[in-house]
């Protein structure tokens, strides 16, 4: 990414129009974010295939750290490095897990989303901790983990020394940062909604997560928290590893450059971390580095960024996360971070926006989002110009080119419905503002769709607002598919490339195209009016070649609710000079809202069909009886063999469309590519991915090499692409295949058809590890069973089944074991282990439907039936001699095997098995 000064110089030579400007720099078309709140990590992992199928590139998730209230959304952060633990490990701070799960369920979710090629962004709360308290008992217990507040021996006053936090201005009075017109306002030092404000540059330097209890540099310990724990070493980098050395260049808020030496975390040996002294800001920056390098996320949304001194972001935060994002091929780059700031676009760009060699720090486009919400709520009496002029993107350089801002309409703070104090209602389509989402998905830049999954039960506290309930393709009211949002995400991927060129901005109607190299890819008509039955006609001059057949891509033109009199054409043929007449519908017809006041036209991409040849079955979607937050909507192909073939068949999307650019027959594909999982691996034998991580549109994609027959080379204009895939290289469980078929064009912008298929690999039995405590202490202990590849859907266990039993047929709700943590089951058998050899039978069912049975032998100590001779307790040759004497004496003590009562060769065989087997 270029620096802002370079961006400005490059964009200076631009064509400006009243509605916005056209830049000469390439727009940042980076896919669509899904902000998904109110779901547990295990259900996010379960629905990874749905997020993948919907086409989202990234997810923004709520704060993962433990909050003061374990049922909280997470903005009242209590312990940043605690992402939740299993419920049986409870402590004095309340429930051990967070509202969303545990550290293991979080990491498993991140890993699967990454496998699907989806980036994960976490909310980061760095301005404050949980609610300010003056309780002496709280501070004697240790206060907030990682932070120091001196203990007074009484409840604290505002005028006392608050250590790592900003103090008050009176005995019972504190600064506030919410209301500039109210007393004691201080933007950077004031408490936000009574949440205690961190002094990031406090001079207290401590080892804030001590490992050695006698180290004099340790943070003062409380009776419960901030105590030394050897396990804290995993939260520190390893200073024996090669450091990252770089110059943190000067900025507006950091006038001088700094040489920074930062050590990495040791992923191979986490306990090799070395505790160091830190101030509070350095502690926060280390948490950011830990989240990136150890937990493996891709970036952060920076909560309440305007309330924190800008120097913290420039000096400590940017240095802490510098080049911590790891790409699929192992390369390190700067992560994207984006702040929350309502002080205005000018202040954001001057103090909270940074794009240079050190940082990739953007901001939520809150002014643009507010204007877009106003337009949605104005019932047709708003103004599109207000939206365009409000964007951070426009303020950055005078252009609508995606250079700045995460564009959106709604978020958890400003949603479609809700006030934050109770569970919001399901919004109507009118409240969702589909025409606003159509605008967002077809303009340049980073775009966000917000979805409230409603999967976290709450009875009090902050309730995130509602978003777009159909964001993943389901109408929660009818339990029927609803692609009104996901089809727009698809159009963003298939056609929304090139620069933004406004064509019409008149009253309720806004028309623009996306184009580059004097070639267009997309024509968009939007209408915010709710005038009943109104259809606005506008003739525009586009950059499409004469004769191009433009298809309405959303289905609105064919929808009788939108166009009952068939006025809106489903296909438009471009006239001389690129002229096109658009019929743009309002959002109501027949006295009822249909809320689809938009049309989007473009040439049809190739019609491609992706088949997994060699699949042995299908995992179907979940039935509608599943709760929406957990319900999988997407089917997946099952692969049980050692290889399969990706087959992509192509045909012209519009057999009647003559190729106006290449002067050929039906417009079809000229190339296709594939990608498996998050890329970074070579799948066609070329030695490396054919396209690198920064390739526009196609990062880490591969060429088909087994069969590559583009439709443009065939008389029937139909193509075929195939690639044989070595399934033994894929992890067990979910894998993800993407293909792209490109419409034949002379050059950019691209038009493409993308297909996505989830593949469930089930070649092997689940990887199991049984951990048994010391049976000499307890013959009926709690057992731990680890499923290290996370492939088990349901698990059943048995102890010492009779010979000939069918364990699969015996599975039921009573022997089913629930998860203790993401990869761990804990359970106690109803009966104790017997002395000697025991058999634990495990029946594991996978999502594929396959049941695998594994038997694990457990030897329990106790009296051994062949321990005949001294020394008692040890089986030796003396016991062999004693057995021989007993056997020939026909002594009942040698009667070891059925049928009992007769001494026979069966007793000899049993003696040998016991001697070489379970007897100690």
């Amino acid at each position: 990414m270029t620096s802002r000064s370079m961006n400005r110089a490059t964009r200076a030579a631009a064509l400006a129009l009243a509605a916005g400007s056209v830049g000469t720099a390439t727009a940042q078309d980076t896919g669509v974010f899904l902000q998904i709140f109110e779901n547990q990590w295990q259900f996010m992992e379960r629905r990874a295939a749905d997020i993948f199928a919907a086409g989202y590139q990234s997810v923004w998730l709520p704060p993962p750290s433990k909050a003061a209230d374990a049922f909280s959304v997470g903005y009242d952060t209590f312990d940043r490095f605690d992402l939740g633990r299993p419920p049986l490990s409870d402590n004095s701070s309340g429930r051990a897990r967070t509202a969303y799960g545990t550290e293991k369920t979080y990491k498993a979710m991140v890993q699967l989303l990454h496998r699907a090629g989806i980036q994960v962004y976490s909310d980061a709360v760095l301005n404050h901790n949980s609610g300010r308290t003056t309780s002496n008992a709280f501070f004697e217990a240790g206060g907030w983990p990682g932070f120091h507040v001196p203990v007074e021996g009484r409840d604290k006053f505002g005028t006392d020394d608050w250590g790592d936090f900003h103090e008050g201005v009176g005995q019972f009075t504190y600064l506030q940062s919410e209301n500039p017109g109210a007393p004691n306002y201080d933007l950077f030092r004031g408490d936000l909604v009574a949440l205690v404000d961190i002094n990031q540059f406090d001079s207290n330097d401590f080892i804030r997560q001590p490992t050695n209890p006698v180290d004099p540099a340790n943070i003062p310990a409380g009776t419960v928290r901030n105590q030394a724990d050897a396990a804290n070493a995993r939260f520190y980098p390893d200073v024996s590893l090669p450091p990252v050395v770089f110059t943190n260049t000067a900025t507006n808020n950091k006038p001088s450059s700094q040489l920074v030496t930062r050590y990495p975390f040791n992923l191979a040996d986490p306990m090799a971390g070395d505790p160091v002294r830190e101030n509070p800001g350095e502690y926060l920056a280390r948490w950011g580095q830990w989240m990136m390098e150890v937990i493996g996320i891709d970036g952060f949304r920076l909560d309440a960024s305007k309330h924190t001194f800008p120097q913290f972001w420039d000096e400590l935060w940017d240095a802490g996360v510098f080049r911590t994002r790891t790409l699929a091929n192992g390369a390190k780059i700067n992560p994207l971070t984006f702040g929350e700031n309502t002080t205005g676009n000018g202040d954001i760009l001057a103090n909270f926006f940074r794009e240079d060699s050190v940082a990739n720090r953007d901001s939520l486009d809150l002014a643009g989002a507010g204007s877009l919400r106003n337009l949605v709520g104005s019932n047709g009496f708003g103004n599109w110009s207000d939206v365009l002029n409000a964007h951070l993107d426009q303020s950055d350089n005078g252009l609508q080119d995606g250079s700045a801002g995460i564009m959106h309409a709604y978020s958890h703070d400003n949603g479609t419905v809700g006030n934050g104090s109770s569970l919001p209602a399901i919004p109507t389509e009118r409240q969702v503002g589909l025409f606003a989402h159509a605008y967002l998905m077809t303009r340049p830049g980073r775009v966000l769709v917000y979805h409230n999954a409603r999967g976290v039960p709450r009875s009090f506290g902050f309730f995130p607002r509602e978003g777009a309930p159909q964001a993943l393709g389901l109408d929660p009211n009818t339990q029927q598919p609803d692609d009104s949002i996901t089809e727009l995400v698809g159009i963003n991927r298939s056609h929304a490339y090139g620069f933004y060129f406004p064509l019409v901005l008149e009253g309720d109607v806004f028309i623009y195209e996306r184009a580059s190299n004097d070639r267009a890819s997309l024509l968009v008509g939007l209408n915010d009016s709710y005038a009943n039955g109104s259809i606005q006609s506008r003739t525009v001059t586009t950059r499409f070649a004469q004769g191009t057949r433009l298809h309405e891509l959303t289905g609105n033109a064919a929808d009788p609710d939108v166009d009952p009199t068939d006025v809106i054409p489903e296909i438009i043929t471009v006239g001389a000079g690129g002229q096109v007449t658009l019929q743009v519908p309002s959002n109501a017809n027949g006295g009822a809202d249909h809320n689809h006041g938009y049309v989007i036209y473009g040439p049809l991409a190739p019609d491609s069909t992706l088949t997994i040849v060699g699949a042995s079955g299908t995992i179907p979607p979940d039935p509608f009886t599943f709760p929406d937050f957990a319900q999988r909507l997407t089917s997946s192909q099952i692969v049980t063999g050692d290889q399969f073939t990706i087959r992509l068949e192509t045909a012209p999307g519009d057999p009647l469309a003559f190729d106006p650019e290449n002067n050929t027959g039906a417009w079809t594909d000229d190339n296709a590519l594939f990608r498996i999982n998050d890329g970074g691996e070579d799948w066609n034998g070329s030695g490396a991915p054919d396209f690198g991580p920064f390739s526009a549109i196609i990062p880490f994609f591969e060429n088909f090499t087994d069969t590559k027959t583009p439709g443009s080379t065939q008389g029937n204009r139909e193509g075929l692409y195939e690639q044989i895939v070595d399934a033994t290289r894929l992890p067990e469980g979910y894998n993800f295949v993407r293909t792209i078929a490109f419409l034949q064009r002379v050059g950019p912008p691209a038009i493409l058809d993308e297909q996505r298929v989830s593949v469930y690999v089930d070649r092997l039995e689940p990887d199991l590890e049984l951990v048994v405590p010391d049976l000499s202490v307890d013959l009926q202990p709690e057992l731990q069973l680890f499923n290290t590849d996370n492939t088990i859907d349901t698990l059943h266990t048995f102890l010492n089944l009779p010979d000939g039993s069918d364990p699969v047929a015996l599975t039921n709700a009573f022997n089913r074991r629930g998860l203790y943590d993401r990869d761990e089951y804990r359970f106690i058998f109803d009966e104790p282990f017997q002395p000697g050899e025991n058999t634990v039978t495990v029946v594991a069912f996978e999502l594929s439907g396959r049941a695998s049975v594994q038997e694990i032998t457990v030897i329990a100590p106790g009296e051994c039936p062949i321990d005949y001779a001294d020394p008692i307790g040890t089986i030796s040759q003396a016991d062999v001699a004693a057995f021989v004497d007993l056997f020939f004496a026909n002594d009942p003590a040698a009667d070891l095997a059925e049928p009992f009562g007769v001494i026979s060769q069966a007793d000899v065989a049993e003696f040998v098995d016991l001697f070489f087997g379970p007897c100690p």
Side-chain angles (χ1 to χ4, degrees), residues 32-41 43-48 50-52 54 56 58-63 73 75 100 106 109 113 118-123 338 410-412 448-456 458 464-473 628-631:
V32 182
F33 284 72
L34 176 67
Q35 181 191 2
I36 183 165
F37 273 36
E38 296 297 88
N39 212 3
Q40 298 180 52
W41 310 138
F43 298 128
M44 287 284 297
E45 180 189 356
R46 180 180 177 84
R47 300 205 63 190
D50 290 338
I51 301 172
F52 169 76
Y56 292 103
S58 309
V59 293
W60 161 19
L61 303 176
V73 176
Y75 292 105
Y100 313 110
Y106 188 81
M109 171 199 66
L113 288 171
I118 298 164
Q119 300 167 23
V120 178
Y121 291 82
S122 169
D123 230 316
F338 51 99
Y410 304 104
S411 71
H412 63 291
L448 172 72
V449 174
Y450 169 53
H451 176 56
N452 184 327
R454 307 169 79 89
V456 177
R458 301 191 188 283
R465 276 69 164 176
E466 251 296 342
Q470 60 276 79
L472 287 172
D628 293 349
F629 58 82
Q631 183 183 348

Side-chain angles (χ1 to χ4, degrees), residues 763-825:
R763 298 174 44 256
L764 308 173
E765 291 185 333
D767 194 355
L768 300 179
E769 177 186 349
L770 181 68
V771 177
V772 181
D774 185 354
L775 294 177
S776 65
V777 176
D778 182 5
L779 286 174
Q780 198 172 1
E782 182 178 59
L783 306 180
Q784 294 173 280
L785 185 70
F786 291 92
N787 173 214
T788 54
D789 58 8
N790 286 336
T791 56
I792 293 177
D793 187 39
T794 59
L795 180 96
H796 304 259
T797 61
F798 305 89
L799 178 61
N800 294 328
L801 284 176
D803 291 343
S805 298
D806 179 359
V808 175
L810 294 174
T811 58
N812 57 45
F814 297 103
N815 48 51
R816 178 174 173 174
R817 305 302 183 180
L819 273 173
Y820 173 77
D821 207 349
R822 178 60 188 95
D823 63 347
E824 182 182 354
Y825 298 82

Side-chain angles (χ1 to χ4, degrees), residues 196-229:
V196 64
D197 196 74
I198 300 170
N199 180 0
Q200 286 85 3
F201 289 97
D202 183 75
S203 59
N204 288 324
D205 282 344
F206 296 117
I207 294 175
R208 293 177 176 269
Q209 292 171 288
T211 58
N212 179 1
V214 297
D215 194 321
N218 288 350
I219 190 170
T223 57
V224 177
R225 297 178 291 278
N226 285 334
Q227 294 187 334
D229 183 347

Side-chain angles (χ1 to χ4, degrees), residues 92-108:
S92 61
S93 300
R95 207 170 65 155
R97 73 188 302 277
T98 71
Y100 313 110
T102 68
E103 180 178 326
K104 281 188 174 182
T105 59
Y106 188 81
K107 290 182 74 171

